[in-house]
Short mmCIF file of all heavy atoms in Angstrom, two decimals:
data_model
loop_
_atom_site.label_atom_id
_atom_site.label_comp_id
_atom_site.label_asym_id
_atom_site.label_seq_id
_atom_site.Cartn_x
_atom_site.Cartn_y
_atom_site.Cartn_z
N ARG A 11 108.39 109.34 92.38
CA ARG A 11 107.49 109.87 93.43
C ARG A 11 106.38 108.88 93.81
O ARG A 11 106.18 108.55 94.97
CB ARG A 11 106.93 111.18 93.06
CG ARG A 11 105.99 111.79 93.98
CD ARG A 11 105.47 113.13 93.37
NE ARG A 11 104.62 113.72 94.40
CZ ARG A 11 103.30 113.44 94.51
NH1 ARG A 11 102.77 112.46 93.84
NH2 ARG A 11 102.60 114.12 95.39
N VAL A 44 108.30 112.81 100.44
CA VAL A 44 107.42 112.52 101.47
C VAL A 44 107.03 113.87 102.19
O VAL A 44 105.83 114.05 102.36
CB VAL A 44 107.94 111.53 102.46
CG1 VAL A 44 107.07 111.36 103.60
CG2 VAL A 44 108.26 110.20 101.76
N GLN A 45 107.98 114.67 102.45
CA GLN A 45 107.68 115.85 103.19
C GLN A 45 106.75 116.86 102.36
O GLN A 45 105.82 117.40 102.84
CB GLN A 45 108.96 116.57 103.62
CG GLN A 45 109.69 115.94 104.72
CD GLN A 45 110.92 116.64 105.11
OE1 GLN A 45 111.46 117.50 104.34
NE2 GLN A 45 111.49 116.37 106.27
N ARG A 46 107.10 116.86 101.02
CA ARG A 46 106.24 117.70 100.14
C ARG A 46 104.87 117.19 100.03
O ARG A 46 103.89 117.93 99.99
CB ARG A 46 106.90 117.82 98.83
CG ARG A 46 106.22 118.97 97.98
CD ARG A 46 107.06 119.30 96.74
NE ARG A 46 107.01 118.33 95.74
CZ ARG A 46 107.45 118.45 94.49
NH1 ARG A 46 108.01 119.64 94.16
NH2 ARG A 46 107.36 117.53 93.61
N ALA A 47 104.73 115.82 99.91
CA ALA A 47 103.36 115.23 99.87
C ALA A 47 102.62 115.48 101.09
O ALA A 47 101.37 115.70 101.00
CB ALA A 47 103.44 113.73 99.64
N ILE A 48 103.22 115.55 102.25
CA ILE A 48 102.49 115.81 103.51
C ILE A 48 102.13 117.25 103.54
O ILE A 48 100.89 117.64 103.88
CB ILE A 48 103.34 115.42 104.73
CG1 ILE A 48 103.52 113.83 104.81
CG2 ILE A 48 102.72 115.95 105.98
CD1 ILE A 48 104.43 113.43 105.88
N GLU A 49 102.95 118.09 103.25
CA GLU A 49 102.77 119.58 103.21
C GLU A 49 101.68 119.99 102.27
O GLU A 49 100.88 120.87 102.57
CB GLU A 49 104.03 120.35 102.89
CG GLU A 49 105.15 120.18 103.98
CD GLU A 49 106.47 120.78 103.51
OE1 GLU A 49 106.59 121.13 102.43
OE2 GLU A 49 107.42 120.76 104.34
N GLN A 50 101.57 119.36 101.11
CA GLN A 50 100.62 119.68 100.09
C GLN A 50 99.28 118.88 100.36
O GLN A 50 98.37 118.95 99.57
CB GLN A 50 101.17 119.35 98.71
CG GLN A 50 102.33 120.19 98.34
CD GLN A 50 102.84 119.94 96.84
OE1 GLN A 50 102.57 118.86 96.28
NE2 GLN A 50 103.63 120.88 96.41
N GLY A 51 99.11 118.17 101.49
CA GLY A 51 97.93 117.41 101.79
C GLY A 51 97.59 116.27 100.88
O GLY A 51 96.55 115.95 100.75
N GLU A 52 98.74 115.63 100.36
CA GLU A 52 98.53 114.48 99.58
C GLU A 52 98.70 113.18 100.24
O GLU A 52 98.44 112.11 99.66
CB GLU A 52 99.50 114.57 98.30
CG GLU A 52 99.18 115.83 97.42
CD GLU A 52 100.21 115.94 96.35
OE1 GLU A 52 101.24 115.23 96.44
OE2 GLU A 52 99.94 116.77 95.46
N LEU A 53 99.25 113.15 101.44
CA LEU A 53 99.58 112.01 102.08
C LEU A 53 99.37 112.19 103.67
O LEU A 53 99.65 113.21 104.25
CB LEU A 53 101.11 111.66 101.92
CG LEU A 53 101.64 110.42 102.64
CD1 LEU A 53 101.03 109.12 102.02
CD2 LEU A 53 103.14 110.38 102.54
N VAL A 211 95.82 110.98 100.28
CA VAL A 211 94.62 111.90 100.41
C VAL A 211 94.08 112.00 99.01
O VAL A 211 94.72 112.69 98.17
CB VAL A 211 94.99 113.28 101.04
CG1 VAL A 211 93.79 114.16 101.06
CG2 VAL A 211 95.59 113.03 102.45
N ARG A 214 91.58 114.47 94.32
CA ARG A 214 92.03 115.63 93.53
C ARG A 214 91.69 115.49 92.02
O ARG A 214 91.55 114.39 91.54
CB ARG A 214 93.58 115.78 93.69
CG ARG A 214 93.94 116.16 95.17
CD ARG A 214 95.42 116.18 95.26
NE ARG A 214 95.76 116.64 96.69
CZ ARG A 214 95.95 117.84 97.04
NH1 ARG A 214 95.82 118.83 96.09
NH2 ARG A 214 96.26 118.12 98.20
#
Side-chain angles (χ1 to χ4, degrees):
R11 181 179 181 279
V44 175
Q45 287 181 344
R46 192 166 73 169
I48 293 173
E49 290 168 0
Q50 294 181 344
E52 298 174 347
L53 179 72
V211 178
R214 296 175 175 271

